[in-house]
Amino acid sequence: MAGYLPQEGRKQVWQDGPDVLVVGGVSPVGRAHAEQDGWRLSGTWPYISAVAYSDWALVCGVAKSGSQYEPRLFALPRADYAVKRSWSDVGMRATGSDTLIAEDVFVPAELSFPLGSLLEGAAEPSAPGSHQVPLTTVNGLFFALPVLGAAEGALGLWSSYAAQKIRSWSPKQPGPARGFYEETLARASGTIDTARFLLERAARVADRGALATPLERARNQRDCALAADLLVTTVNQLFRASGTSGHSVHHPLQRLWRDANSAVGHVVLQPGPAAAAYTAAALELEV
């Protein structure tokens, strides 16, 4: 995303080499006003993953210039913002998604660009293809793919548990019959495969960049939300079918269960907004 900055801004961000950790958020919760050759920015941005280890941050704020208001992204060096430890989610604990605070920071013009450029993939003509991809085409993949990984990990753990149960099963023992494990495995693996197919198609659309149609962009949003819903439902089913041992705080399955349920809470994976965007595009409705 920082690649959308003007050339001079990009030089500043990567002046010490390519290994720069840039974090950020695109929610326009900050406020800025024009000042000389730049902007004066203040704001508080929660849920900024890995912010404690960042070199730069890219944050969004509503900028006022005269009587005009426009959401813009601002690149801030680490010295220009503070970090408040606030991440206490039940899952995804390792992301360190704490709060970033900027107070009355001056941001030069070369370290800012309109949010619309990112949303529409409107980078400079010389920019690589990855910067020609509208954000709505690819954003859901950032968050749905880790859920796919969690679901596949949960299936692997549960399959080992099920194999042991099936091998030791006999008609006389209490508990679920062999068919319970067989059906759970078949349904879970099939649902995960279905979600993977949806996400692979979304990735192929994203690879088309600016050539993706508005309907394909909206379908990507729909498919990512739908895939996330299928995956978290499957993880929950596997967790429920894992027996008491799988619910132990020492068992890795419970961590995947917590992570998956936390991840699908992200705003870009919510079915409602995705359905609205898809319906508007599919039925050619004005929004």
Side-chain angles (χ1 to χ4, degrees):
M1 294 181 182
Y4 284 84
L5 288 166
Q7 182 179 19
E8 186 56 39
R10 298 197 303 271
K11 288 181 178 179
Q12 291 185 43
V13 172
W14 286 286
Q15 63 183 339
D16 295 325
D19 299 322
V20 177
L21 179 55
V22 183
V23 301
V26 297
S27 297
V29 296
R31 293 293 180 268
H33 63 268
E35 181 178 292
Q36 297 178 349
D37 295 327
W39 307 87
R40 183 66 62 173
L41 173 71
S42 293
T44 299
W45 291 264
Y47 313 127
I48 305 297
S49 296
V51 64
Y53 305 96
S54 60
D55 301 305
W56 286 77
L58 194 70
V59 293
C60 189
V62 176
K64 180 181 180 183
S65 180
S67 60
Q68 301 297 314
Y69 292 86
E70 177 187 44
R72 298 183 65 89
L73 284 158
F74 302 89
L76 308 178
R78 181 63 184 86
D80 283 356
Y81 55 89
V83 176
K84 178 182 178 181
R85 303 304 292 266
S86 58
W87 184 239
S88 60
D89 200 89
V90 68
M92 298 177 64
R93 293 174 177 174
T95 65
S97 302
D98 291 316
T99 299
L100 183 154
I101 302 171
E103 297 182 352
D104 197 34
V105 174
F106 178 72
V107 184
E110 66 269 18
L111 291 176
S112 179
F113 64 91
L115 175 63
S117 298
L118 177 63
L119 296 178
E120 295 301 322
E124 296 179 357
S126 60
S130 60
H131 294 105
Q132 310 294 336
V133 183
L135 183 63
T136 54
T137 308
V138 71
N139 204 21
L141 288 166
F142 301 155
F143 303 97
L145 287 171
V147 184
L148 174 63
E152 290 178 336
L155 179 63
L157 290 169
W158 188 87
S159 295
S160 298
Y161 163 79
Q164 181 181 6
K165 288 291 185 180
I166 290 173
R167 292 190 183 102
S168 63
W169 182 83
S170 70
K172 297 181 180 180
Q173 73 180 34
R178 174 172 176 157
F180 167 79
Y181 299 103
E182 294 170 340
E183 184 173 355
T184 299
L185 177 62
R187 288 185 178 275
S189 60
T191 302
I192 291 171
D193 284 348
T194 300
R196 173 179 280 278
F197 292 147
L198 287 172
L199 296 175
E200 286 177 345
R201 181 174 69 176
R204 289 194 296 270
V205 170
D207 283 342
R208 296 180 59 205
L211 297 178
T213 67
L215 179 57
E216 288 175 322
R217 300 180 198 178
R219 189 184 67 191
N220 268 21
Q221 292 178 268
R222 179 205 70 183
D223 286 354
C224 288
L226 178 58
D229 195 47
L230 292 172
L231 291 167
V232 75
T233 298
T234 299
V235 171
N236 289 341
Q237 291 170 341
L238 293 171
F239 184 68
R240 183 178 180 183
S242 66
T244 305
S245 61
H247 300 182
S248 168
V249 295
H250 304 294
H251 198 291
L253 181 59
Q254 55 81 25
R255 179 181 61 80
L256 295 170
W257 172 68
R258 289 187 290 104
D259 288 348
N261 278 275
S262 291
V264 298
H266 197 282
V267 63
V268 302
L269 297 179
Q270 299 314 299
Y278 177 75
T279 300
L283 303 182
E284 298 181 349
L285 303 175
E286 293 186 5
V287 293

